[in-house]
Amino acid sequence: MRARVPKGAGNNAQNMNQMIRQAQKMQDQITELQDDIEARDFTATVGGGAVELVMTGKKTIKSLNIKKEVVDPEDIETLQDLIISAVNEAVGQIEQTTEDEMSKITGGVSLPGLF
């Protein structure tokens, strides 16, 4: 008795190799994108320019500028809120940029665990 092999079934190895090559290419592009984003600076300005923060793509604060007029010893909470807002805005920019540029590589398919 002979087993019937569906037509085109002999190409499975070739198709698998092609998929592996495509996956490797995508992985290389993702690694390149990660490196690119980590090398960038992201700037957040809050409070009408009272606080400006520069953060790297690695989410490390590079610089923080605070205008003198926002420093009030009687109102430390406002300054704290401005700094927190600037940090959160910069982190949000990094995450949004990463998501936008990653979707260009992955075609919008979510790949859990990458970021």
Side-chain angles (χ1 to χ4, degrees):
M1 177 179 216
R2 290 182 71 188
R4 292 185 181 218
V5 178
K7 245 184 178 179
N11 292 333
N12 282 341
Q14 184 179 7
N15 289 342
M16 183 62 77
N17 286 336
Q18 183 179 359
M19 285 177 48
I20 290 170
R21 281 193 301 273
Q22 287 175 336
Q24 181 63 47
K25 181 180 176 185
M26 185 182 294
Q27 184 177 4
D28 292 344
Q29 290 174 322
I30 289 169
T31 300
E32 185 178 317
L33 175 62
Q34 288 173 320
D35 292 343
D36 178 55
I37 289 174
E38 287 178 356
R40 294 185 202 176
D41 289 341
F42 295 83
T43 303
T45 304
V46 297
V51 174
E52 181 182 89
L53 178 127
V54 178
M55 184 178 284
T56 69
K58 290 184 177 184
K59 299 179 184 169
T60 301
I61 296 174
K62 191 172 184 178
S63 69
L64 174 65
N65 295 311
I66 301 171
K67 289 194 175 178
K68 291 179 184 178
E69 55 267 17
V70 78
V71 180
D72 179 0
E74 301 298 317
D75 188 15
I76 297 298
E77 291 81 19
T78 298
L79 180 56
Q80 291 170 334
D81 289 344
L82 288 170
I83 293 169
I84 290 168
S85 293
V87 170
N88 289 338
E89 183 180 323
V91 169
Q93 287 177 18
I94 294 166
E95 290 176 354
Q96 188 63 52
T97 299
T98 301
E99 183 179 323
D100 291 346
E101 294 189 21
M102 188 64 64
S103 70
K104 292 175 188 175
I105 294 172
T106 63
V109 175
S110 178
L111 301 174
L114 283 180
F115 287 96

